[in-house]
Amino acid sequence: MRPLTPADLNPAVANVQYAVRGELAIKAEDYRGKLESKDHGLPFNRVINSNIGNPQQKGLDQPPITFSRQVAALMEYPPLIDIVKDKWPSDVIARAQELQAEIGSIGAYSHSKGVPLIRRSVAKFISDRDGFPCDPEDIFLTAGASAGVSLLLNVLITPPKTGILIPIPQYPLYTATLAQYNGVALPYHLSEPDGWSTSLDEIKAALAKADNDGITARALVIINPGNPTGSLLDVPTMEAVVRLCEEHSLVLLADEVYQTNLHSPSTHPFHSFKQVVRRLDSPIPLFSFHSTSKGVTGECGRRGGYFECTNISDEVRALLYKMVSVGLCPPLSGQVGVDCMVRPPKAGEPSYDLYKKETDTIHAALAQRTKLMAERLNALPGVSCVNSPGALYLYPKLELPDKAVEEAKRLGKSPDTLYALELLDETGICVVPGSGFGQKVGEHHYRLTCLCPGVEEYVGALEKFHNKFVQKYGGL
Ligand SMILES: Cc1ncc(COP(=O)(O)O)c(C=O)c1O
């Protein structure tokens, strides 16, 4: 029998790229293994995973929210209720009992769009957030936001030439999924000098180019707050984006998974596209994504998320329902996580004080690390860094010595990959090179997260490395 080879696979597979778990992450894992032996010979004693927005990962260790985990524990093992009845807060027990009465065992499949009670919780969360009604029938619970994005891109792409407008830099889920489904990425650049804001002119230029190339632009992706940039859209920009979608009959895909990761919410608040669309009374088709993976919940591994359909006809919604039915249902533990995220303890309830303390601590740590890292990075020669108001990332720009660029070329790597590899080799700090997210030709960036504890120590190592790197390659 002939063995299965890559040539036997769908050719689209070869085109899929996902830098967040690419060369750098693999090498970092390798180093982590080596560090377990006493005479590892490496110039550092721990790997710092600044490459991935996975808050509870080993080494990042963001603690889970107690309320969510207690409810999860009771859902996993209902007899535990009798053991903890007088020890755990009564609102935890009441929530678990309410969910158990609706779901039964979380070992069973649920409705394919998700448990109806949880979809109602999501709808209430959205209507409280936006001040506009939300129909639970418009909610689809998903295995993380990724599953929703993947489904929507899949159904929106009609080969051979469907274009999807994606921001550059972007979270590589979008380019990877487009490659998988043979969609055409229509890149539009975010404006770094304006704090990585969304430029309408850039979107219009991308639309004109698509038209010229005979590509039908079907949808526009906006990531707000941004990954990898940490940017946050203001309302006038959002309104202009909605009007542009109307003008060009574009579906809007609003990735809002970082909506609660705000470092200064009083001056930089989050506004949802759903709210803007309703306020403008706009007819644009909108899909909005949210997740339990980010925010202060950080439950990436549970795979919880949802998308909301706005201005989507019953016929299209029925087809989406058919498609999600093929996969039976999203994970029940993820659905329970969504319920806890959208229905956290309220002031006055027994779990509230601890919940508030835990979430305040996480928000404060993320804001403090982001500020400190941006300040210190901006003080380095050849580095400029937008101080991000949201999400979990910074995306500094690097000016690199010509000799470093030449050396990268010789090695067949992008210059920021060379920089990131040497950073990892010398300090154990793992970041993702900008080439994995996209950037303008000739520019160099990298993304680092604000999730790593011990920030002073590793920013110091980063500074030392940067100065040495610049010197090694002949200065700027
Ligand atoms: C912008 C953005 N969208 C979606 C996702 C996927 O998240 P999930 O774990 O919910 O699939 C991520 C994960 O990092 C992200 O950064």
Side-chain angles (χ1 to χ4, degrees):
M1 178 173 160
R2 201 168 59 79
L4 184 68
T5 70
D8 298 314
L9 303 184
N10 179 340
V13 172
N15 298 328
V16 171
Q17 296 196 4
Y18 189 72
V20 176
R21 288 180 183 255
E23 181 183 8
L24 268 293
I26 293 166
K27 197 167 191 197
E29 269 327 293
D30 206 37
Y31 281 157
R32 197 189 299 284
K34 281 204 178 112
L35 285 171
E36 276 170 24
S37 103
K38 261 197 202 121
D39 47 355
H40 53 70
L42 293 169
F44 48 85
N45 288 318
R46 70 176 177 128
V47 168
I48 295 166
N49 276 98
S50 203
N51 58 318
I52 190 157
N54 185 12
Q56 295 184 25
Q57 175 165 322
K58 251 198 211 168
L60 302 181
D61 302 328
Q62 180 175 299
I65 304 298
T66 304
F67 175 78
S68 309
R69 282 300 180 92
Q70 286 179 329
V71 172
L74 298 182
M75 294 305 293
E76 286 292 330
Y77 188 60
L80 194 58
I81 290 193
D82 295 330
I83 302 168
V84 302
K85 214 168 33 220
D86 303 317
K87 302 187 182 75
W88 286 9
S90 57
D91 51 348
V92 167
I93 313 248
R95 176 68 57 86
Q97 283 172 332
E98 184 190 1
L99 289 169
Q100 280 166 9
E102 166 94 359
I103 299 171
S105 167
I106 64 160
Y109 294 131
S110 70
H111 188 290
S112 297
K113 285 168 71 174
V115 171
L117 172 88
I118 302 179
R119 280 189 282 127
R120 289 197 295 277
S121 302
V122 171
K124 179 162 185 331
F125 160 77
I126 291 172
S127 58
D128 289 351
R129 182 194 66 191
D130 296 341
F132 289 95
C134 173
D135 180 351
E137 284 309 308
D138 283 331
I139 304 299
F140 286 66
L141 301 186
T142 52
S146 308
V149 169
S150 177
L151 169 72
L152 266 306
L153 289 179
N154 186 6
V155 300
L156 287 170
I157 290 166
T158 48
K161 291 204 163 174
T162 306
I164 308 285
L165 289 147
I166 53 164
I168 295 295
Q170 53 103 35
Y171 173 56
L173 165 67
Y174 290 94
T175 37
T177 312
L178 285 177
Q180 187 182 354
Y181 296 130
N182 294 307
V184 182
L186 304 174
Y188 64 91
H189 286 279
L190 302 175
S191 177
E192 186 167 8
D194 307 314
W196 291 114
S197 75
T198 298
S199 151
L200 271 285
D201 287 343
E202 285 282 345
I203 300 177
K204 285 179 194 162
L207 280 167
K209 183 171 182 309
D211 208 28
N212 217 23
D213 296 346
I215 294 162
T216 312
R218 169 114 344 115
L220 167 65
V221 174
I222 301 265
I223 307 174
N224 181 46
N227 177 6
T229 61
S231 62
L232 191 61
L233 287 184
D234 57 27
V235 172
T237 307
M238 296 172 80
E239 289 178 349
V241 164
V242 170
R243 293 303 186 206
L244 190 85
C245 290
E246 285 175 8
E247 205 182 310
H248 293 270
S249 291
L250 293 169
V251 176
L252 182 57
L253 301 175
D255 184 331
E256 298 175 336
V257 301
Y258 296 102
Q259 61 187 267
T260 57
N261 289 114
L262 305 172
H263 305 319
S264 41
S266 53
T267 51
H268 292 83
F270 166 79
H271 299 275
S272 73
F273 265 109
K274 163 75 181 300
Q275 187 188 50
V276 173
V277 164
R278 283 290 182 250
R279 192 155 359 91
L280 295 178
D281 202 14
S282 169
I284 65 158
L286 164 69
F287 294 99
S288 313
F289 304 92
H290 196 13
S291 169
T292 57
S293 299
K294 314 295 168 180
V296 285
T297 320
E299 296 275 6
C300 296
R302 267 174 209 278
R303 312 309 295 133
Y306 70 80
F307 65 86
E308 181 193 13
C309 309
T310 304
N311 296 329
I312 302 300
S313 69
D314 289 350
E315 293 96 312
V316 169
R317 220 176 49 187
L319 287 171
L320 293 176
Y321 177 35
K322 180 176 81 174
M323 292 304 286
V324 295
S325 305
V326 178
L328 296 163
C329 70
L332 267 290
S333 55
Q335 296 190 48
V336 168
V338 170
D339 190 79
C340 294
M341 174 179 77
V342 297
R343 217 161 38 123
K346 289 201 221 44
E349 292 177 351
S351 296
Y352 180 75
D353 288 348
L354 179 60
Y355 171 80
K356 173 107 177 58
K357 187 167 155 229
E358 288 173 340
T359 53
D360 283 353
T361 305
I362 296 171
H363 282 303
L366 297 177
Q368 183 263 341
R369 289 180 203 143
T370 305
K371 184 165 173 280
L372 185 137
M373 290 195 305
E375 272 168 17
R376 300 268 291 264
L377 285 164
N378 273 317
L380 287 174
V383 180
S384 62
C385 179
V386 172
N387 185 6
S388 80
L392 303 174
Y393 314 102
L394 287 169
Y395 197 57
K397 182 165 156 180
L398 293 172
E399 212 184 304
L400 294 178
D402 292 344
K403 282 200 180 126
V405 177
E406 281 158 27
E407 175 63 1
K409 204 165 167 194
R410 194 185 66 76
L411 295 169
K413 297 192 183 297
S414 68
D416 43 27
T417 301
L418 174 78
Y419 184 92
L421 280 169
E422 292 198 16
L423 175 67
L424 176 62
D425 291 343
E426 288 190 27
T427 64
I429 301 172
C430 183
V431 298
V432 187
S435 41
F437 303 100
Q439 55 201 339
K440 289 187 175 157
V441 178
E443 290 192 346
H444 321 293
H445 294 82
Y446 64 91
R447 184 190 79 170
L448 77 171
T449 76
C450 57
L451 288 165
C452 314
V455 68
E456 285 80 1
E457 174 203 328
Y458 74 81
V459 172
L462 206 151
E463 287 166 336
K464 240 192 244 158
F465 163 79
H466 179 82
N467 290 324
K468 223 171 108 191
F469 182 92
V470 170
Q471 257 176 20
K472 173 178 162 186
Y473 289 104
L476 288 169

